[in-house]
Amino acid sequence: MARPRQFDEQNAVTRATDLFWRRGYNATSVRDLGAELKLTSSSLYRTFTDKHTLFLRALDHYRATESAEAEQRLDAAGRPVRQVLRDWMLWLVSCPSDGESARGCFVVNTATELGTTDAQVSQRTEAAFEVTRQALRSLLHEGRHSGELPIDLDIDAAVELLFTTVLGLRVRERAGHDLARLATAIDAVIQALGFTSTQPS
């Protein structure tokens, strides 16, 4: 009997992730969660203990899905590093094709909302950020090895530049800023890295 419940729990976590992503932690009440998951408050508490525990599971679910896809998109796999980087950054800020309002990155939104006030949440957001940094670092090393980037490029500094730019882009995307303006910023930061080859945009 445990297997069907486990399946139901995963579906509930997925739906809770979507709700927390749209509304944030503080603006989502237990009643909101119950309505979204079609659970009574007592059933929700019995299954997930409390709102905070469910939120942590939602963050973990997001990291295992959305964040993993972002990491995969940074894998050059033989493609020009400049194009991989540009495509990834544009993908991050592209509005949903189904007409849904832009909602940014769940991890970035959470870090902005809760900061360092919650140690368990902070540990998860920082771990997600480090995965992005490492993926960027690997991509830039590939670019330097292939000759697309200058041999004397300070990769650690370049990673921090790109990572900080990405956080700003995700906030601007959620604020509804025009994609063309974001693309201009993306092209400027990529140009600042000093790519030696110019790939078509």
Side-chain angles (χ1 to χ4, degrees), residues 23-91:
R23 302 191 60 176
Y25 179 73
N26 290 319
T28 302
S29 67
V30 172
R31 178 175 294 182
D32 295 330
L33 288 165
E36 180 74 17
L37 308 183
K38 295 179 173 55
L39 291 174
T40 64
S41 294
S42 60
S43 295
L44 192 147
Y45 281 117
R46 185 168 58 250
T47 305
F48 298 108
T49 306
D50 54 28
K51 169 184 159 181
H52 185 261
T53 300
L54 179 53
F55 184 73
L56 295 179
R57 288 188 61 175
L59 268 178
D60 290 339
H61 173 72
Y62 180 89
R63 290 174 56 204
T65 53
E66 299 287 335
S67 295
E69 181 180 358
E71 184 183 8
Q72 291 171 1
R73 285 174 177 268
L74 279 173
D75 185 354
R79 293 187 296 145
V81 167
R82 179 185 183 278
Q83 196 63 51
V84 171
L85 185 58
R86 187 176 191 274
D87 288 348
W88 173 70
M89 296 178 81
L90 284 173
W91 171 74

Side-chain angles (χ1 to χ4, degrees), residues 133-146:
R133 287 192 188 95
Q134 290 297 337
L136 285 169
R137 186 171 288 107
S138 295
L139 183 65
L140 295 181
H141 274 294
E142 175 64 26
R144 194 167 65 178
H145 177 74
S146 67

